């Protein structure tokens, strides 16, 4: 029997909202690009100290796990809403799970939660209630009414050039 090590993955909003990592049985991880998103001096100093004292580990995901997450993101139509940091964080989650950890993504971002659900990663929000269903966005053109499976370059309709919009499509209820 292998014992899963529980880890928490923190996105930029966690630090912006003042999440403080403390020494406990759960390890905290984040990705390098989060450092670029935390711009407030105080929040940044707090984050840098937490890293310095080993409370938070900064790891970059492998190109393989990043590529896998990117393809899921594009399948779900979330490409336009997720930042590089979000993608890297989810990829790190996938990777840590393969290494035998039990990762939970800490985020208030619904798109991140949506992709995490699809990847089978657990998540918890900081303040907002979590989503109970996973859905795929339908990308559509308000001009010519065509629908697209995936986001289009520059977010415009390749047929008529109108800016594309999206709405939640097929929903799948999660257990419970
Ligand atoms: Zn169109």
């Amino acid at each position: 029997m292998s014992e899963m090590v529980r880890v928490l993955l923190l996105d930029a909003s966690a630090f912006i909202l003042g999440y403080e990592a403390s020494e406990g049985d759960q390890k905290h991880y984040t990705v390098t690009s989060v450092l670029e998103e935390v711009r407030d001096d105080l929040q940044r100093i707090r984050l840098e100290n937490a890293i310095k004292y080993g409370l938070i580990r900064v790891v970059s995901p492998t190109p393989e796990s990043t590529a896998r997450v990117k393809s899921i993101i594009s399948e779900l139509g979330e490409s336009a809403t997720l930042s590089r940091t979000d993608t890297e964080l989810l990829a790190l989650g996938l990777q840590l799970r393969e290494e035998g950890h039990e990762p939970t993504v800490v985020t208030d971002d619904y798109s991140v939660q949506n992709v995490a659900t699809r990847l089978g990663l657990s998540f918890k929000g900081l303040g907002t209630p979590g989503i109970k269903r996973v859905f795929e966005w339908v990308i559509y053109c308000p001009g010519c009414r065509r629908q697209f499976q995936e986001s289009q370059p520059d977010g415009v309709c390749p047929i008529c050039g109108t800016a594309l919009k999206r709405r939640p499509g097929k929903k799948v209820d999660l257990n419970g």
Side-chain angles (χ1 to χ4, degrees):
M1 281 207 328
S2 65
E3 204 178 312
M4 298 278 264
V5 181
R6 296 181 65 199
V7 297
L8 293 174
L9 289 159
L10 305 167
D11 81 350
S13 71
F15 301 109
I16 291 163
L17 292 169
Y19 183 92
E20 286 190 62
S22 56
E23 276 185 280
D25 52 351
Q26 296 194 339
K27 290 179 179 161
H28 296 78
Y29 282 84
T30 195
V31 291
T32 321
S33 43
V34 160
L35 299 174
E36 294 156 23
E37 286 190 21
V38 178
R39 295 208 177 82
D40 178 87
D41 284 343
L42 203 64
Q43 289 161 358
R44 215 190 147 84
I45 289 166
R46 206 191 287 158
L47 172 57
E48 284 168 354
N49 277 329
I51 292 166
K52 192 166 119 192
Y53 293 108
L55 295 173
I56 295 171
R57 287 154 210 240
V58 184
V59 178
S60 291
T62 60
E64 292 76 20
S65 48
T66 307
R68 278 175 57 200
V69 167
K70 276 186 179 164
S71 85
I72 299 280
I73 288 173
S74 134
E75 236 173 67
L76 290 172
E78 295 277 18
S79 304
T81 52
L82 293 174
S83 67
R84 183 167 68 99
T85 307
D86 299 331
T87 308
E88 287 184 1
L89 199 72
L90 289 160
L92 183 60
L94 204 61
Q95 190 178 322
L96 288 170
R97 192 180 57 195
E98 281 166 1
E99 291 169 5
H101 297 78
E102 196 184 337
T104 299
V105 183
V106 180
T107 179
D108 268 351
D109 185 313
Y110 284 111
S111 293
V112 175
Q113 294 178 357
N114 193 35
V115 179
T117 304
R118 171 54 77 88
L119 293 169
L121 297 172
S122 41
F123 63 82
K124 66 176 185 183
L126 288 152
T128 55
I131 52 169
K132 294 201 171 53
R133 287 175 296 189
V134 62
F135 56 83
E136 295 181 16
W137 292 103
V138 173
I139 299 161
Y140 69 98
C141 173
C144 69
R145 304 270 158 205
R146 279 182 178 80
Q147 291 193 1
F148 303 91
Q149 296 290 337
E150 298 192 352
S151 359
Q152 301 298 309
D154 304 322
V156 298
C157 176
I159 315 298
C160 72
T162 306
L164 296 172
K165 294 191 169 207
R166 61 175 202 167
R167 57 181 155 76
K170 194 173 59 184
K171 286 186 179 137
V172 184
D173 279 316
L174 299 176
N175 293 336

